[in-house]
Amino acid sequence: MIRRRVAVTGLGAVTPAGNDMPSTWASLTAGLSAVARAPHMEAAGCRSRIAAEVRGFDPGALPSRQDAARLGRSAQLALAAALEAWRDAGLAPAGLDLARCGVILGTGFGDSAETFRQTQNYLRAGIRGVNPAYAPRAMSNAGAAHISLEFGLRGPSFTTGSACAAASHAIGLAARLIQCGDADVILAGGTEEISCILAPAAFDGLHALSVRNETPERASRPFDRSRDGFVIGEGAGILVLEEFQHAARRGARIYAEIAGVGMASEAHHLTAPDPRAEGATLAMQRALDDAGCAATDVRYVNAHGTSTPLNDAMETRALHRVLGAHARAIAVSSTKSMIGHLLGASAAVGLVATVLTVREGVIHPTINYEEPDPDCDLDYVPNASRRMDVELALANSFAFGGHCVSLAVRAIR
């Protein structure tokens, strides 16, 4: 069987840096931090009192056929990003075989805010207090379901739940379905919301979050020696993946190509990264092998780069193992330095940034990089964007549970 190529033809994003893709990209390339004080975390007594939240988002203003204001917040964010990506790709139902179009969405927690509300209702009034709409609002597949409903997509539609690798698994699986001929167009990405205190409180209890509360804009500092944890965030990112010839026939603009997918598991620990970097190494090597590329072809890596002491050192170690001496010649940057860690949506927004880097020849910086760490010794594009032609990039995602995914993005020239 001839493997079909996978083009990226549409991008959508709702992030702490902006409520659409252009404003998000402009903020990232300008090196602006979107981290601020989080009153609900302070009121709950969290050690970490900062977050990267989506601000000024009005679901009631979405040009949707659905009453988006009635959806859970994670589904709202996903639908907004999907609507933008759909428009950006120039898609129209009349020109598509909707039975060969689908949606695959990743999320870490689904709509935990609705779970929290209905739990409170139950504790106050028993089962009569639980709203029957709870199930369709809070289910983790709500975002994918609403996107399918919005556009009438009747192809593959489901949700991945592999924590912070959920979006990259969704995108990787979407690419596979297109490659093998099971679909022509798939909207793929991830979504997460943190309006509920449960997820921030849990990570705070694990001492995984930064406590640089007095200077929130300086808290997320991947690869910097003084990093003390990640900044929790929310948002959504959606990419339109399309079979290459299908896109060409309709005259679509093609941003880049998903050239390789690599997936692995550390099988080491539920929350701590493997210090040997076995899973991350395997995922990146598989992505390169799948793309038919050599280590020396890589010019840029959009790092998982969480700003945690163990993860950043592990990722650096993995890059040395995969790329060898060439690791010193590449650029590495972390989107999370500016918008925090968007959990199940993080890989999608990171991939949007990677696609734009390949398309436009601009690498966004890793901000707050001030003091080198001997365990993190690569070129992290410190504090200012850089112009560079990038023919091949890797976008990494590593999650609790040991899930490791790397996606290879190739330029279209």
Side-chain angles (χ1 to χ4, degrees):
M1 182 181 71
I2 298 175
R3 190 171 96 164
R4 307 192 315 165
R5 295 171 66 189
V6 180
V8 179
T9 58
L11 302 172
V14 180
T15 76
N19 288 344
D20 55 27
M21 180 266 288
S23 59
T24 293
W25 180 238
S27 183
L28 292 177
T29 54
L32 302 178
S33 173
V35 180
R37 296 296 290 264
H40 72 306
M41 292 173 65
E42 185 168 1
C46 292
R47 294 171 64 253
S48 178
R49 300 173 180 181
I50 55 178
E53 298 173 281
V54 172
R55 301 174 182 86
F57 175 70
D58 179 10
L62 292 178
S64 169
R65 296 188 300 151
Q66 304 173 70
D67 184 359
R70 295 175 64 87
L71 310 184
R73 183 169 171 82
S74 63
Q76 291 172 348
L77 298 174
L79 179 59
L83 286 163
E84 181 184 19
W86 181 272
R87 291 193 304 270
D88 188 50
L91 293 171
L96 298 171
D97 179 353
L98 296 176
R100 295 187 56 79
C101 301
V103 53
I104 307 177
L105 197 66
T107 189
F109 292 94
D111 198 316
S112 55
E114 188 65 20
T115 295
F116 188 66
R117 280 191 293 269
Q118 297 309 318
T119 300
Q120 290 178 311
N121 289 347
Y122 172 76
L123 293 174
R124 282 195 299 265
I127 61 170
R128 296 181 185 278
V130 178
N131 189 330
Y134 162 61
R137 279 176 63 95
M139 62 189 189
S140 60
N141 63 311
H146 284 294
I147 293 169
S148 262
L149 287 167
E150 182 70 26
F151 303 112
L153 309 181
R154 294 184 287 110
S157 175
F158 58 91
T159 298
T160 57
S162 46
C164 305
S168 51
H169 272 133
I171 294 161
L173 290 170
R176 288 280 188 256
L177 288 171
I178 292 171
Q179 286 171 344
C180 72
D182 285 348
D184 295 327
V185 178
I186 299 182
L187 279 72
T191 188
E192 204 75 69
E193 63 91 11
I194 59 166
S195 62
C196 174
I197 194 59
L198 292 179
F203 286 113
D204 190 70
L206 288 170
H207 289 199
L209 302 182
S210 172
V211 292
R212 202 181 287 263
N213 296 320
E214 300 309 311
T215 53
E217 69 284 354
R218 301 181 66 230
S220 186
R221 44 200 315 110
F223 306 107
D224 183 82
R225 188 170 188 168
S226 67
R227 64 193 184 277
D228 71 329
F230 75 84
V231 174
I232 197 166
E234 65 177 355
I238 300 287
L239 299 90
V240 175
L241 304 189
E242 188 169 354
E243 192 275 321
F244 209 92
Q245 293 305 316
H246 186 279
R249 281 194 299 271
R250 68 180 187 87
R253 171 195 50 207
I254 297 176
Y255 281 102
E257 177 183 0
I258 304 298
V261 178
M263 305 181 189
S265 177
E266 290 181 329
H268 168 72
H269 190 275
L270 194 63
T271 58
D274 180 1
R276 301 166 301 173
E278 298 283 356
T281 298
L282 191 55
M284 283 190 278
Q285 188 60 59
R286 284 176 172 168
L288 288 175
D289 291 345
D290 192 44
C293 295
T296 51
D297 294 325
V298 179
R299 297 294 307 280
Y300 168 64
V301 174
N302 185 275
H304 187 59
T306 56
S307 186
T308 57
L310 295 180
N311 196 281
D312 291 357
M314 180 279 292
E315 186 168 12
T316 300
R317 195 168 301 119
L319 285 167
H320 278 294
R321 289 187 62 180
V322 173
L323 303 181
H326 183 64
R328 302 283 185 189
I330 67 165
V332 180
S333 69
S334 172
T335 309
K336 295 179 183 69
S337 66
M338 291 167 282
I339 61 171
H341 192 342
L342 310 190
L343 308 178
S346 61
V349 176
L351 189 63
V352 168
T354 306
V355 167
L356 288 169
T357 288
V358 166
R359 169 80 175 185
E360 299 188 8
V362 177
I363 298 174
H364 73 62
T366 302
I367 66 167
N368 298 320
Y369 186 83
E370 297 171 339
E371 185 179 2
D373 181 344
D375 292 328
C376 301
D377 57 355
L378 298 176
D379 174 6
Y380 301 111
V381 192
N383 303 312
S385 291
R386 180 183 303 168
R387 288 208 162 269
M388 179 188 289
D389 287 336
V390 176
E391 293 293 329
L392 187 77
L394 294 178
N396 288 337
S397 181
F398 312 127
F400 274 15
H403 310 298
C404 300
V405 185
S406 187
L407 302 171
V409 180
R410 180 182 288 132
I412 302 296
R413 298 290 188 242

